[in-house]
Amino acid sequence: MRHRDPECAPSVRIAELEARIAELEAEKASLEAEKRHYRWLAESTTDLISCHARDGTFLYASQAARDLLGYAPEELIGASAYDLFHPSDLADLLNKSPRVYYHASFYQYTYRFRAKDGRYVWFETTSRTRRDPDSGELLDILCVSRDVGRRIQAEANRERLAQVVESTTDYVLFVDGEERLFYSNEAARRLLGLPREARECRLDHAYTADSLAVLREIVMPAVARYGSWSGELAMCSPNGEVPVLSVVLAHRGRGATADHLSLLNRDIRLRLATEAQSRRHQEQIAHANRLATTGELASNIAHELNQPLGTMANYASGALMQLAADPQRPASDLETPLARINDQVQRLAERLRHIRTFVRKGQTRPRPVPLLEVVDAACRLCEWQYQQSGITLEHALPESLPRVLADPVALEQVLINLLINALEASRETPAAERVTIRAHRSGPREVTVTVSDQGPGVPPEQADRLFVAFHTTRREGLGMGLAISHSLMEAMGGNLRLENGSDGATFAATLQAEAALLPRPRPD
């Protein structure tokens, strides 16, 4: 049995101690390095790292306090965090603190904290309690706090927007890629008879079959490409169809699902009824104007009727005289006068049909019409009055003009109003000799008709009021002719204006040319 040398034992123990000391110093250095690293992390993060005593006193605050609150960290040490809470939020926290401090070691809450300049910052703080492992006594509370003001504001905005959407009278629907309605506001639910949580409702429950076809074939492809679409559709309800002006939007942006759509629908029943009533009133006023115009053209109408009647009387009288002279005369000898009587009857019937068409009541229905035919018809109705006044009515329209989009009766009414106004203006000027009506292509897709006179013209102070109802420069005029003509031109998709820079007055009526009716190519 070997025995350790007693003299070697102390040196061995010293070596072991030295090794242990070196090991402890290495651990200490490692801990110090780790401590510096964690302190660097705490001081570098944009979140506020803080440590608090049980009563809320700051024991430590990171450098982020300068940026978030305006305080230097040393200004907060020893101060109570509770003194900086918004009073309403502090009361809520203190009600919860016993449960947090004694039962939960981890807690997250959102509150308002007062900065150095007096404003309140919305904070979201994650706190964790640290306790003595032996006694369980609360040592301190570690907190990580971040500014969530923007998030709170965004959430408040979303909540307000949700309240607006829910309370609006428009019908708001959200639909997914499989045409399922996953949201409908209160107005839409009332219209469609849906419960608040309608999970199984589909798009075909909300729209008519025709509108659903438009949505599938036109709207959805357009929204997928351009992001939005607007137009008129029809929704369903227990009481029948409801016409709506719809705006369809794609859900885009962060967090949005690509195939989700928003459909905003505004009930336009009242608007359509108002527009229909307005059209009826416009038609009634235009009809009254045509009747008044017919009265002014009474002499021309009498002339139109008198001439063929006189011609027929002459031919009939001649035929009777021939029969009286020779009762056995062959019937073939009377073919010429009878044929001419028939021609005059047809001419008279055509004139009567034209006058009846002009004065009858009807809707304005624009369609492609030859401009020259309408101008000729208007000039024929006014021709006798021009002859009686000694004013020449000139018109020579080029035959190459395209057809225009117009209602022939409405356009004829506009031209007659302009021709009668031009005739009245010419009567006031002794030197006036003629009224000229011309037409030309004023653009690739429009034609302009002008009526020019040699009268006194329109004073500048009255030019802006020419198309206002009941404004007239004639003592016997009603002031409705130009106003009605302006409305009729707009109803046909055109316009009527007074042109400047000419002797007398020149009115220009512009209409769409037939080429404008062709469909426009879709953009690539």
Side-chain angles (χ1 to χ4, degrees):
M1 183 175 179
R2 296 182 60 183
H3 297 280
R4 181 181 296 178
D5 187 350
E7 295 182 356
C8 293
S11 61
V12 171
R13 287 196 296 272
I14 291 173
E16 291 176 350
L17 289 173
E18 289 176 348
R20 181 58 180 165
I21 290 172
E23 183 181 345
L24 292 174
E25 288 178 348
E27 291 179 359
K28 178 181 178 182
S30 176
L31 290 173
E32 288 293 334
E34 189 174 353
K35 178 180 179 181
R36 287 194 300 271
H37 176 69
Y38 282 116
R39 179 174 288 276
W40 175 83
L41 289 177
E43 297 298 335
S44 301
T45 183
T46 56
D47 291 345
L48 172 61
I49 311 298
S50 60
C51 181
H52 301 265
R54 180 173 179 174
D55 61 358
T57 301
F58 274 93
L59 303 176
Y60 167 78
S62 66
Q63 292 296 326
R66 297 179 184 274
D67 297 329
L68 297 177
L69 298 172
Y71 287 105
E74 55 271 18
E75 292 182 272
L76 293 175
I77 304 302
S80 174
Y82 293 155
D83 294 338
L84 301 178
F85 270 71
H86 190 281
S88 299
D89 300 333
L90 177 61
D92 182 63
L93 176 65
L94 293 179
N95 288 333
K96 298 177 180 178
S97 60
R99 177 175 58 84
V100 175
Y101 291 161
Y102 292 103
H103 302 288
S105 60
F106 180 86
Y107 184 65
Q108 187 177 72
Y109 52 102
T110 304
Y111 59 96
R112 286 162 290 182
F113 203 71
R114 190 172 71 247
K116 189 173 183 178
D117 59 7
R119 63 187 174 89
Y120 281 97
V121 179
W122 275 102
F123 266 7
E124 181 180 77
T125 296
T126 302
S127 63
R128 187 182 187 90
T129 57
R130 194 165 64 94
R131 300 178 180 277
D132 184 280
D134 297 327
S135 65
E137 181 182 357
L138 178 65
L139 299 177
D140 51 29
I141 305 169
L142 299 177
C143 297
V144 179
S145 306
R146 60 186 58 87
D147 186 342
V148 292
R150 290 185 178 179
R151 192 193 75 191
I152 295 295
Q153 184 64 40
E155 290 175 353
N157 290 339
R158 284 195 296 270
E159 184 177 350
R160 284 193 292 269
L161 179 60
Q163 291 174 351
V164 170
V165 170
E166 186 63 22
S167 61
T168 182
T169 56
D170 293 341
Y171 313 126
V172 182
L173 305 172
F174 293 170
V175 63
D176 63 16
E178 297 181 1
E179 298 187 2
R180 288 192 298 249
L181 300 179
F182 61 90
Y183 171 77
S184 56
N185 71 341
E186 183 180 354
R189 293 193 298 270
R190 286 200 306 268
L191 176 73
L192 303 175
L194 298 176
R196 187 173 184 85
E197 298 295 334
R199 298 297 183 185
E200 301 301 324
C201 187
R202 301 184 61 83
L203 198 61
D204 55 7
H205 183 80
Y207 292 91
T208 63
D210 291 342
S211 294
L212 191 63
V214 172
L215 281 168
R216 290 171 175 166
E217 298 171 10
I218 299 175
V219 178
M220 292 181 180
V223 173
R225 184 170 186 179
Y226 303 110
S228 64
W229 178 91
S230 63
E232 294 186 11
L233 298 172
M235 297 185 69
C236 300
S237 79
N239 299 322
E241 294 185 6
V242 177
V244 292
L245 178 62
S246 299
V247 178
V248 184
L249 303 171
H251 287 196
R252 293 181 176 176
R254 186 172 59 183
T257 304
D259 58 356
H260 285 191
L261 302 176
S262 298
L263 298 97
L264 287 70
N265 307 277
R266 174 159 295 179
D267 191 333
I268 56 173
R269 284 177 291 187
L270 181 59
R271 193 198 77 183
L272 294 179
T274 302
E275 290 176 353
Q277 184 174 4
S278 177
R279 284 194 299 270
R280 288 193 295 271
H281 289 169
Q282 177 67 33
E283 290 160 5
Q284 291 170 357
I285 294 173
H287 180 238
N289 178 254
R290 287 196 294 274
L291 291 177
T293 304
T294 305
E296 295 187 34
L297 298 175
S299 59
N300 189 26
I301 295 172
H303 173 73
E304 291 283 350
L305 300 179
N306 185 60
Q307 185 176 347
L309 286 174
T311 302
M312 285 187 287
N314 289 335
Y315 282 125
S317 176
L320 290 173
M321 290 174 62
Q322 292 182 33
L323 287 174
D326 185 4
Q328 303 301 322
R329 193 180 184 93
S332 58
D333 292 348
L334 302 178
E335 180 179 358
T336 298
L338 291 175
R340 292 180 178 175
I341 290 174
N342 181 68
D343 291 341
Q344 293 301 317
V345 169
Q346 296 299 326
R347 179 188 173 194
L348 179 59
E350 181 184 352
R351 292 291 183 269
L352 290 174
R353 281 196 301 270
H354 180 212
I355 293 170
R356 185 170 63 250
T357 300
F358 181 73
V359 300
R360 75 182 178 186
K361 190 175 181 179
Q363 295 181 345
T364 301
R365 294 187 175 91
R367 61 183 183 276
V369 296
L371 180 60
L372 183 58
E373 292 182 6
V374 181
V375 172
D376 284 341
C379 290
R380 283 198 302 270
L381 278 178
C382 299
E383 186 177 15
W384 179 253
Q385 283 187 304
Y386 271 81
Q387 291 175 358
Q388 295 298 308
S389 301
I391 303 296
T392 302
L393 177 57
E394 294 182 349
H395 77 283
L397 275 64
E399 296 183 358
S400 59
L401 287 174
R403 295 191 300 175
V404 295
L405 180 63
D407 180 286
V409 174
L411 179 57
E412 187 177 338
Q413 180 177 358
V414 171
L415 294 175
I416 290 174
N417 284 339
L418 295 179
L419 291 173
I420 290 177
N421 285 348
L423 178 60
E424 293 297 331
S426 300
R427 287 170 176 168
E428 298 176 6
T429 306
E433 298 178 350
R434 65 179 55 84
V435 171
T436 306
I437 180 168
R438 295 188 177 92
H440 64 280
R441 295 196 68 152
S442 52
R445 294 185 174 182
E446 64 181 24
V447 173
T448 297
V449 183
T450 59
V451 176
S452 304
D453 62 59
Q454 297 175 329
V458 179
E461 63 273 11
Q462 295 185 7
D464 294 338
R465 304 179 58 198
L466 274 179
F467 303 109
V468 177
F470 305 112
H471 173 74
T472 180
T473 58
R474 295 161 51 190
R475 282 179 293 182
E476 70 279 8
L478 295 176
M480 290 300 296
L482 286 177
I484 292 171
S485 299
H486 189 268
S487 298
L488 289 174
M489 289 300 298
E490 288 186 339
M492 293 184 288
N495 63 77
L496 178 64
R497 65 188 182 279
L498 172 68
E499 289 196 338
N500 299 321
S502 63
D503 296 332
T506 297
F507 287 87
T510 300
L511 291 161
Q512 296 181 52
E514 187 175 18
L517 305 179
L518 299 176
R520 297 185 180 181
R522 290 181 59 85
D524 294 333

